[in-house]
Amino acid sequence: MSDEEKLSAMSQLISFARAGNNINTIEYNFLLAIAKQIGVDEDAFKKLLDTPHPFVNIKHESQRIVQFHRLLLLMNVDHKIVPEELEKIHQLGLKMGLNILAIDKTLEVMKRYKNNNIPPDVLLDIFKTHYN
């Protein structure tokens, strides 16, 4: 991903974490780990907490699917899912240009797994089935 895509992706995750209320310690640590994983340093991450980066859609669909998986993991990190989070993640998937049928199937299938954490290979199979 480009630097702009990375900052936008992190900003999207931060915004999603804040949707319920303030970011708790578990969510913060998860977000920081993702930032490091994708190459966003801690200073840039902390800046994003105060100043969101404008939305830039990730160019490659495979990376958008990975970002959707990060959102799913973030939603489940506190082991609580509320209907508003499901609606928000659905809307974010659509905004990223992901297939609506794949999004819906993912949200249905994830319930079969412990803590709703759908394995990456299962997620990829769902998106392959519904590839545009």
Side-chain angles (χ1 to χ4, degrees):
M1 290 192 296
S2 71
D3 289 343
E4 290 296 307
E5 289 171 332
K6 290 175 187 178
L7 293 173
S8 177
M10 281 310 307
S11 192
Q12 183 180 54
L13 289 163
I14 291 167
S15 174
F16 185 72
R18 283 200 169 121
N21 51 32
N22 291 329
I23 297 172
N24 65 37
T25 303
I26 295 169
E27 292 168 330
Y28 180 89
N29 291 335
F30 178 82
L31 290 167
L32 184 57
I34 294 297
K36 290 176 182 178
Q37 181 184 51
I38 66 172
V40 174
D41 68 41
E42 193 166 351
D43 290 337
F45 170 72
K46 288 179 179 177
K47 184 177 177 186
L48 288 172
L49 291 169
D50 296 324
T51 308
H53 192 277
F55 177 76
V56 175
N57 205 12
I58 299 169
K59 182 178 177 182
H60 298 286
E61 184 174 30
S62 60
Q63 286 296 319
R64 291 193 307 263
I65 294 168
V66 170
Q67 176 68 1
F68 187 70
H69 192 237
R70 288 184 195 114
L71 287 162
L72 290 169
L73 293 171
L74 176 59
M75 178 175 66
N76 293 311
V77 77
D78 62 1
H79 307 292
K80 294 182 280 186
I81 299 176
V82 295
E84 294 81 16
E85 288 176 319
L86 289 171
E87 179 59 31
K88 176 104 174 149
I89 205 164
H90 190 271
Q91 292 304 316
L92 289 170
L94 292 175
K95 185 176 182 178
M96 289 189 287
L98 298 176
N99 182 293
I100 189 170
L101 297 174
I103 294 168
D104 290 343
K105 186 68 173 178
T106 299
L107 295 176
E108 173 192 328
V109 170
M110 74 176 194
K111 296 173 188 171
R112 299 178 192 162
Y113 294 92
K114 183 177 179 183
N115 298 325
N116 296 306
N117 287 327
I118 189 168
D121 59 324
V122 174
L123 177 78
L124 289 174
D125 285 345
I126 291 169
F127 277 90
K128 284 178 188 175
T129 300
H130 297 286
Y131 186 71
N132 292 333

PDB file of all heavy atoms in Angstrom, residues 91-119:
ATOM      1  N   GLN A  91     -21.301  -0.933   5.982  1.00  0.00           N
ATOM      2  CA  GLN A  91     -21.177   0.305   5.198  1.00  0.00           C
ATOM      3  C   GLN A  91     -19.729   0.568   4.781  1.00  0.00           C
ATOM      4  O   GLN A  91     -19.466   1.027   3.664  1.00  0.00           O
ATOM      5  CB  GLN A  91     -21.734   1.501   5.991  1.00  0.00           C
ATOM      6  CG  GLN A  91     -23.233   1.457   6.207  1.00  0.00           C
ATOM      7  CD  GLN A  91     -24.002   1.356   4.901  1.00  0.00           C
ATOM      8  OE1 GLN A  91     -23.716   2.040   3.934  1.00  0.00           O
ATOM      9  NE2 GLN A  91     -24.990   0.456   4.872  1.00  0.00           N
ATOM     10  N   LEU A  92     -18.790   0.290   5.668  1.00  0.00           N
ATOM     11  CA  LEU A  92     -17.377   0.480   5.329  1.00  0.00           C
ATOM     12  C   LEU A  92     -16.947  -0.461   4.210  1.00  0.00           C
ATOM     13  O   LEU A  92     -16.194  -0.067   3.314  1.00  0.00           O
ATOM     14  CB  LEU A  92     -16.493   0.288   6.567  1.00  0.00           C
ATOM     15  CG  LEU A  92     -16.580   1.387   7.614  1.00  0.00           C
ATOM     16  CD1 LEU A  92     -15.855   0.967   8.896  1.00  0.00           C
ATOM     17  CD2 LEU A  92     -16.004   2.687   7.078  1.00  0.00           C
ATOM     18  N   GLY A  93     -17.421  -1.692   4.264  1.00  0.00           N
ATOM     19  CA  GLY A  93     -17.115  -2.641   3.196  1.00  0.00           C
ATOM     20  C   GLY A  93     -17.632  -2.144   1.851  1.00  0.00           C
ATOM     21  O   GLY A  93     -16.937  -2.224   0.834  1.00  0.00           O
ATOM     22  N   LEU A  94     -18.849  -1.621   1.857  1.00  0.00           N
ATOM     23  CA  LEU A  94     -19.415  -1.070   0.622  1.00  0.00           C
ATOM     24  C   LEU A  94     -18.618   0.145   0.143  1.00  0.00           C
ATOM     25  O   LEU A  94     -18.341   0.280  -1.052  1.00  0.00           O
ATOM     26  CB  LEU A  94     -20.879  -0.684   0.835  1.00  0.00           C
ATOM     27  CG  LEU A  94     -21.854  -1.834   1.065  1.00  0.00           C
ATOM     28  CD1 LEU A  94     -23.241  -1.298   1.394  1.00  0.00           C
ATOM     29  CD2 LEU A  94     -21.890  -2.772  -0.138  1.00  0.00           C
ATOM     30  N   LYS A  95     -18.242   1.009   1.076  1.00  0.00           N
ATOM     31  CA  LYS A  95     -17.461   2.199   0.730  1.00  0.00           C
ATOM     32  C   LYS A  95     -16.122   1.821   0.092  1.00  0.00           C
ATOM     33  O   LYS A  95     -15.627   2.516  -0.792  1.00  0.00           O
ATOM     34  CB  LYS A  95     -17.231   3.053   1.983  1.00  0.00           C
ATOM     35  CG  LYS A  95     -16.539   4.366   1.717  1.00  0.00           C
ATOM     36  CD  LYS A  95     -16.440   5.201   2.995  1.00  0.00           C
ATOM     37  CE  LYS A  95     -15.780   6.538   2.717  1.00  0.00           C
ATOM     38  NZ  LYS A  95     -15.723   7.362   3.919  1.00  0.00           N
ATOM     39  N   MET A  96     -15.559   0.698   0.534  1.00  0.00           N
ATOM     40  CA  MET A  96     -14.296   0.232  -0.022  1.00  0.00           C
ATOM     41  C   MET A  96     -14.485  -0.433  -1.388  1.00  0.00           C
ATOM     42  O   MET A  96     -13.524  -0.795  -2.044  1.00  0.00           O
ATOM     43  CB  MET A  96     -13.617  -0.753   0.935  1.00  0.00           C
ATOM     44  CG  MET A  96     -13.064  -0.101   2.168  1.00  0.00           C
ATOM     45  SD  MET A  96     -12.054  -1.232   3.160  1.00  0.00           S
ATOM     46  CE  MET A  96     -13.275  -2.310   3.883  1.00  0.00           C
ATOM     47  N   GLY A  97     -15.740  -0.625  -1.790  1.00  0.00           N
ATOM     48  CA  GLY A  97     -16.011  -1.229  -3.087  1.00  0.00           C
ATOM     49  C   GLY A  97     -16.031  -2.745  -3.080  1.00  0.00           C
ATOM     50  O   GLY A  97     -15.907  -3.372  -4.127  1.00  0.00           O
ATOM     51  N   LEU A  98     -16.214  -3.333  -1.903  1.00  0.00           N
ATOM     52  CA  LEU A  98     -16.268  -4.791  -1.814  1.00  0.00           C
ATOM     53  C   LEU A  98     -17.655  -5.290  -2.200  1.00  0.00           C
ATOM     54  O   LEU A  98     -18.652  -4.572  -2.074  1.00  0.00           O
ATOM     55  CB  LEU A  98     -15.908  -5.250  -0.397  1.00  0.00           C
ATOM     56  CG  LEU A  98     -14.492  -4.896   0.059  1.00  0.00           C
ATOM     57  CD1 LEU A  98     -14.287  -5.302   1.507  1.00  0.00           C
ATOM     58  CD2 LEU A  98     -13.451  -5.546  -0.841  1.00  0.00           C
ATOM     59  N   ASN A  99     -17.726  -6.515  -2.645  1.00  0.00           N
ATOM     60  CA  ASN A  99     -18.964  -7.127  -3.092  1.00  0.00           C
ATOM     61  C   ASN A  99     -19.932  -7.284  -1.918  1.00  0.00           C
ATOM     62  O   ASN A  99     -19.570  -7.878  -0.890  1.00  0.00           O
ATOM     63  CB  ASN A  99     -18.643  -8.490  -3.721  1.00  0.00           C
ATOM     64  CG  ASN A  99     -19.860  -9.185  -4.254  1.00  0.00           C
ATOM     65  OD1 ASN A  99     -20.732  -9.596  -3.498  1.00  0.00           O
ATOM     66  ND2 ASN A  99     -19.912  -9.338  -5.566  1.00  0.00           N
ATOM     67  N   ILE A 100     -21.145  -6.791  -2.095  1.00  0.00           N
ATOM     68  CA  ILE A 100     -22.140  -6.816  -1.019  1.00  0.00           C
ATOM     69  C   ILE A 100     -22.477  -8.246  -0.586  1.00  0.00           C
ATOM     70  O   ILE A 100     -22.670  -8.517   0.611  1.00  0.00           O
ATOM     71  CB  ILE A 100     -23.415  -6.035  -1.407  1.00  0.00           C
ATOM     72  CG1 ILE A 100     -24.342  -5.889  -0.191  1.00  0.00           C
ATOM     73  CG2 ILE A 100     -24.113  -6.668  -2.587  1.00  0.00           C
ATOM     74  CD1 ILE A 100     -25.499  -4.943  -0.401  1.00  0.00           C
ATOM     75  N   LEU A 101     -22.537  -9.168  -1.542  1.00  0.00           N
ATOM     76  CA  LEU A 101     -22.845 -10.552  -1.186  1.00  0.00           C
ATOM     77  C   LEU A 101     -21.730 -11.171  -0.348  1.00  0.00           C
ATOM     78  O   LEU A 101     -21.993 -11.924   0.595  1.00  0.00           O
ATOM     79  CB  LEU A 101     -23.087 -11.380  -2.453  1.00  0.00           C
ATOM     80  CG  LEU A 101     -24.286 -10.944  -3.304  1.00  0.00           C
ATOM     81  CD1 LEU A 101     -24.333 -11.731  -4.603  1.00  0.00           C
ATOM     82  CD2 LEU A 101     -25.583 -11.075  -2.526  1.00  0.00           C
ATOM     83  N   ALA A 102     -20.498 -10.836  -0.681  1.00  0.00           N
ATOM     84  CA  ALA A 102     -19.359 -11.342   0.096  1.00  0.00           C
ATOM     85  C   ALA A 102     -19.345 -10.741   1.498  1.00  0.00           C
ATOM     86  O   ALA A 102     -19.052 -11.437   2.476  1.00  0.00           O
ATOM     87  CB  ALA A 102     -18.054 -11.046  -0.629  1.00  0.00           C
ATOM     88  N   ILE A 103     -19.674  -9.465   1.601  1.00  0.00           N
ATOM     89  CA  ILE A 103     -19.744  -8.806   2.907  1.00  0.00           C
ATOM     90  C   ILE A 103     -20.801  -9.496   3.767  1.00  0.00           C
ATOM     91  O   ILE A 103     -20.547  -9.877   4.916  1.00  0.00           O
ATOM     92  CB  ILE A 103     -20.066  -7.305   2.762  1.00  0.00           C
ATOM     93  CG1 ILE A 103     -18.924  -6.570   2.073  1.00  0.00           C
ATOM     94  CG2 ILE A 103     -20.378  -6.679   4.126  1.00  0.00           C
ATOM     95  CD1 ILE A 103     -19.279  -5.154   1.628  1.00  0.00           C
ATOM     96  N   ASP A 104     -21.991  -9.647   3.209  1.00  0.00           N
ATOM     97  CA  ASP A 104     -23.093 -10.267   3.955  1.00  0.00           C
ATOM     98  C   ASP A 104     -22.756 -11.697   4.375  1.00  0.00           C
ATOM     99  O   ASP A 104     -23.013 -12.096   5.510  1.00  0.00           O
ATOM    100  CB  ASP A 104     -24.373 -10.264   3.115  1.00  0.00           C
ATOM    101  CG  ASP A 104     -24.946  -8.872   2.926  1.00  0.00           C
ATOM    102  OD1 ASP A 104     -24.582  -7.943   3.681  1.00  0.00           O
ATOM    103  OD2 ASP A 104     -25.771  -8.707   1.996  1.00  0.00           O
ATOM    104  N   LYS A 105     -22.162 -12.465   3.465  1.00  0.00           N
ATOM    105  CA  LYS A 105     -21.801 -13.854   3.772  1.00  0.00           C
ATOM    106  C   LYS A 105     -20.747 -13.905   4.879  1.00  0.00           C
ATOM    107  O   LYS A 105     -20.822 -14.723   5.791  1.00  0.00           O
ATOM    108  CB  LYS A 105     -21.289 -14.558   2.506  1.00  0.00           C
ATOM    109  CG  LYS A 105     -21.041 -16.020   2.684  1.00  0.00           C
ATOM    110  CD  LYS A 105     -22.343 -16.773   2.895  1.00  0.00           C
ATOM    111  CE  LYS A 105     -22.118 -18.265   2.897  1.00  0.00           C
ATOM    112  NZ  LYS A 105     -23.349 -19.001   3.151  1.00  0.00           N
ATOM    113  N   THR A 106     -19.774 -13.000   4.812  1.00  0.00           N
ATOM    114  CA  THR A 106     -18.725 -12.944   5.836  1.00  0.00           C
ATOM    115  C   THR A 106     -19.331 -12.677   7.210  1.00  0.00           C
ATOM    116  O   THR A 106     -18.979 -13.339   8.192  1.00  0.00           O
ATOM    117  CB  THR A 106     -17.698 -11.857   5.493  1.00  0.00           C
ATOM    118  OG1 THR A 106     -17.087 -12.176   4.230  1.00  0.00           O
ATOM    119  CG2 THR A 106     -16.633 -11.727   6.561  1.00  0.00           C
ATOM    120  N   LEU A 107     -20.235 -11.710   7.282  1.00  0.00           N
ATOM    121  CA  LEU A 107     -20.852 -11.366   8.566  1.00  0.00           C
ATOM    122  C   LEU A 107     -21.719 -12.500   9.099  1.00  0.00           C
ATOM    123  O   LEU A 107     -21.876 -12.650  10.313  1.00  0.00           O
ATOM    124  CB  LEU A 107     -21.650 -10.065   8.433  1.00  0.00           C
ATOM    125  CG  LEU A 107     -20.813  -8.817   8.116  1.00  0.00           C
ATOM    126  CD1 LEU A 107     -21.709  -7.604   7.907  1.00  0.00           C
ATOM    127  CD2 LEU A 107     -19.768  -8.552   9.187  1.00  0.00           C
ATOM    128  N   GLU A 108     -22.241 -13.310   8.197  1.00  0.00           N
ATOM    129  CA  GLU A 108     -23.019 -14.483   8.611  1.00  0.00           C
ATOM    130  C   GLU A 108     -22.093 -15.612   9.074  1.00  0.00           C
ATOM    131  O   GLU A 108     -22.290 -16.192  10.143  1.00  0.00           O
ATOM    132  CB  GLU A 108     -23.866 -14.969   7.429  1.00  0.00           C
ATOM    133  CG  GLU A 108     -24.588 -16.272   7.657  1.00  0.00           C
ATOM    134  CD  GLU A 108     -25.149 -16.838   6.361  1.00  0.00           C
ATOM    135  OE1 GLU A 108     -25.533 -16.063   5.470  1.00  0.00           O
ATOM    136  OE2 GLU A 108     -25.178 -18.085   6.252  1.00  0.00           O
ATOM    137  N   VAL A 109     -21.070 -15.913   8.290  1.00  0.00           N
ATOM    138  CA  VAL A 109     -20.179 -17.043   8.559  1.00  0.00           C
ATOM    139  C   VAL A 109     -19.309 -16.810   9.791  1.00  0.00           C
ATOM    140  O   VAL A 109     -18.994 -17.760  10.519  1.00  0.00           O
ATOM    141  CB  VAL A 109     -19.313 -17.354   7.314  1.00  0.00           C
ATOM    142  CG1 VAL A 109     -18.206 -18.341   7.620  1.00  0.00           C
ATOM    143  CG2 VAL A 109     -20.198 -17.867   6.185  1.00  0.00           C
ATOM    144  N   MET A 110     -18.941 -15.574  10.058  1.00  0.00           N
ATOM    145  CA  MET A 110     -18.043 -15.313  11.192  1.00  0.00           C
ATOM    146  C   MET A 110     -18.629 -15.789  12.514  1.00  0.00           C
ATOM    147  O   MET A 110     -17.903 -16.128  13.437  1.00  0.00           O
ATOM    148  CB  MET A 110     -17.676 -13.832  11.280  1.00  0.00           C
ATOM    149  CG  MET A 110     -18.766 -12.943  11.791  1.00  0.00           C
ATOM    150  SD  MET A 110     -18.182 -11.260  11.944  1.00  0.00           S
ATOM    151  CE  MET A 110     -19.514 -10.599  12.935  1.00  0.00           C
ATOM    152  N   LYS A 111     -19.955 -15.869  12.592  1.00  0.00           N
ATOM    153  CA  LYS A 111     -20.619 -16.296  13.826  1.00  0.00           C
ATOM    154  C   LYS A 111     -20.333 -17.758  14.162  1.00  0.00           C
ATOM    155  O   LYS A 111     -20.542 -18.184  15.296  1.00  0.00           O
ATOM    156  CB  LYS A 111     -22.127 -16.080  13.704  1.00  0.00           C
ATOM    157  CG  LYS A 111     -22.511 -14.627  13.557  1.00  0.00           C
ATOM    158  CD  LYS A 111     -23.982 -14.463  13.263  1.00  0.00           C
ATOM    159  CE  LYS A 111     -24.296 -13.027  12.936  1.00  0.00           C
ATOM    160  NZ  LYS A 111     -25.670 -12.868  12.447  1.00  0.00           N
ATOM    161  N   ARG A 112     -19.834 -18.501  13.195  1.00  0.00           N
ATOM    162  CA  ARG A 112     -19.536 -19.928  13.412  1.00  0.00           C
ATOM    163  C   ARG A 112     -18.202 -20.147  14.129  1.00  0.00           C
ATOM    164  O   ARG A 112     -17.884 -21.267  14.516  1.00  0.00           O
ATOM    165  CB  ARG A 112     -19.479 -20.658  12.067  1.00  0.00           C
ATOM    166  CG  ARG A 112     -20.765 -20.610  11.300  1.00  0.00           C
ATOM    167  CD  ARG A 112     -20.612 -21.315   9.971  1.00  0.00           C
ATOM    168  NE  ARG A 112     -21.750 -21.025   9.114  1.00  0.00           N
ATOM    169  CZ  ARG A 112     -21.751 -21.212   7.809  1.00  0.00           C
ATOM    170  NH1 ARG A 112     -20.684 -21.706   7.205  1.00  0.00           N
ATOM    171  NH2 ARG A 112     -22.820 -20.913   7.110  1.00  0.00           N
ATOM    172  N   TYR A 113     -17.438 -19.079  14.275  1.00  0.00           N
ATOM    173  CA  TYR A 113     -16.087 -19.215  14.820  1.00  0.00           C
ATOM    174  C   TYR A 113     -15.987 -18.597  16.211  1.00  0.00           C
ATOM    175  O   TYR A 113     -16.708 -17.651  16.534  1.00  0.00           O
ATOM    176  CB  TYR A 113     -15.070 -18.561  13.875  1.00  0.00           C
ATOM    177  CG  TYR A 113     -15.008 -19.301  12.562  1.00  0.00           C
ATOM    178  CD1 TYR A 113     -15.811 -18.915  11.503  1.00  0.00           C
ATOM    179  CD2 TYR A 113     -14.192 -20.421  12.426  1.00  0.00           C
ATOM    180  CE1 TYR A 113     -15.789 -19.617  10.311  1.00  0.00           C
ATOM    181  CE2 TYR A 113     -14.164 -21.131  11.239  1.00  0.00           C
ATOM    182  CZ  TYR A 113     -14.967 -20.719  10.180  1.00  0.00           C
ATOM    183  OH  TYR A 113     -14.953 -21.427   9.011  1.00  0.00           O
ATOM    184  N   LYS A 114     -15.075 -19.154  16.996  1.00  0.00           N
ATOM    185  CA  LYS A 114     -14.851 -18.663  18.348  1.00  0.00           C
ATOM    186  C   LYS A 114     -14.570 -17.162  18.301  1.00  0.00           C
ATOM    187  O   LYS A 114     -13.747 -16.691  17.516  1.00  0.00           O
ATOM    188  CB  LYS A 114     -13.671 -19.400  18.984  1.00  0.00           C
ATOM    189  CG  LYS A 114     -13.421 -19.012  20.416  1.00  0.00           C
ATOM    190  CD  LYS A 114     -12.298 -19.813  21.007  1.00  0.00           C
ATOM    191  CE  LYS A 114     -12.086 -19.348  22.440  1.00  0.00           C
ATOM    192  NZ  LYS A 114     -10.974 -20.028  23.059  1.00  0.00           N
ATOM    193  N   ASN A 115     -15.249 -16.422  19.154  1.00  0.00           N
ATOM    194  CA  ASN A 115     -15.130 -14.965  19.239  1.00  0.00           C
ATOM    195  C   ASN A 115     -15.402 -14.275  17.901  1.00  0.00           C
ATOM    196  O   ASN A 115     -14.938 -13.167  17.662  1.00  0.00           O
ATOM    197  CB  ASN A 115     -13.755 -14.545  19.766  1.00  0.00           C
ATOM    198  CG  ASN A 115     -13.517 -15.048  21.168  1.00  0.00           C
ATOM    199  OD1 ASN A 115     -14.437 -15.122  21.972  1.00  0.00           O
ATOM    200  ND2 ASN A 115     -12.290 -15.426  21.461  1.00  0.00           N
ATOM    201  N   ASN A 116     -16.123 -14.948  17.022  1.00  0.00           N
ATOM    202  CA  ASN A 116     -16.485 -14.410  15.701  1.00  0.00           C
ATOM    203  C   ASN A 116     -15.273 -14.108  14.827  1.00  0.00           C
ATOM    204  O   ASN A 116     -15.372 -13.328  13.885  1.00  0.00           O
ATOM    205  CB  ASN A 116     -17.347 -13.152  15.840  1.00  0.00           C
ATOM    206  CG  ASN A 116     -18.669 -13.440  16.494  1.00  0.00           C
ATOM    207  OD1 ASN A 116     -19.413 -14.305  16.045  1.00  0.00           O
ATOM    208  ND2 ASN A 116     -18.965 -12.734  17.579  1.00  0.00           N
ATOM    209  N   ASN A 117     -14.131 -14.693  15.137  1.00  0.00           N
ATOM    210  CA  ASN A 117     -12.902 -14.427  14.386  1.00  0.00           C
ATOM    211  C   ASN A 117     -12.788 -15.380  13.202  1.00  0.00           C
ATOM    212  O   ASN A 117     -12.253 -16.475  13.320  1.00  0.00           O
ATOM    213  CB  ASN A 117     -11.672 -14.529  15.291  1.00  0.00           C
ATOM    214  CG  ASN A 117     -11.581 -13.347  16.222  1.00  0.00           C
ATOM    215  OD1 ASN A 117     -11.976 -12.242  15.879  1.00  0.00           O
ATOM    216  ND2 ASN A 117     -11.072 -13.573  17.413  1.00  0.00           N
ATOM    217  N   ILE A 118     -13.271 -14.932  12.079  1.00  0.00           N
ATOM    218  CA  ILE A 118     -13.250 -15.732  10.865  1.00  0.00           C
ATOM    219  C   ILE A 118     -11.806 -15.888  10.379  1.00  0.00           C
ATOM    220  O   ILE A 118     -11.072 -14.904  10.293  1.00  0.00           O
ATOM    221  CB  ILE A 118     -14.164 -15.110   9.781  1.00  0.00           C
ATOM    222  CG1 ILE A 118     -14.323 -16.036   8.586  1.00  0.00           C
ATOM    223  CG2 ILE A 118     -13.685 -13.734   9.365  1.00  0.00           C
ATOM    224  CD1 ILE A 118     -15.429 -15.619   7.632  1.00  0.00           C
ATOM    225  N   PRO A 119     -11.379 -17.108  10.100  1.00  0.00           N
ATOM    226  CA  PRO A 119     -10.008 -17.313   9.619  1.00  0.00           C
ATOM    227  C   PRO A 119      -9.791 -16.641   8.250  1.00  0.00           C
ATOM    228  O   PRO A 119     -10.716 -16.592   7.432  1.00  0.00           O
ATOM    229  CB  PRO A 119      -9.889 -18.839   9.500  1.00  0.00           C
ATOM    230  CG  PRO A 119     -10.972 -19.386  10.371  1.00  0.00           C
ATOM    231  CD  PRO A 119     -12.078 -18.381  10.315  1.00  0.00           C
TER     232      PRO A 119
END
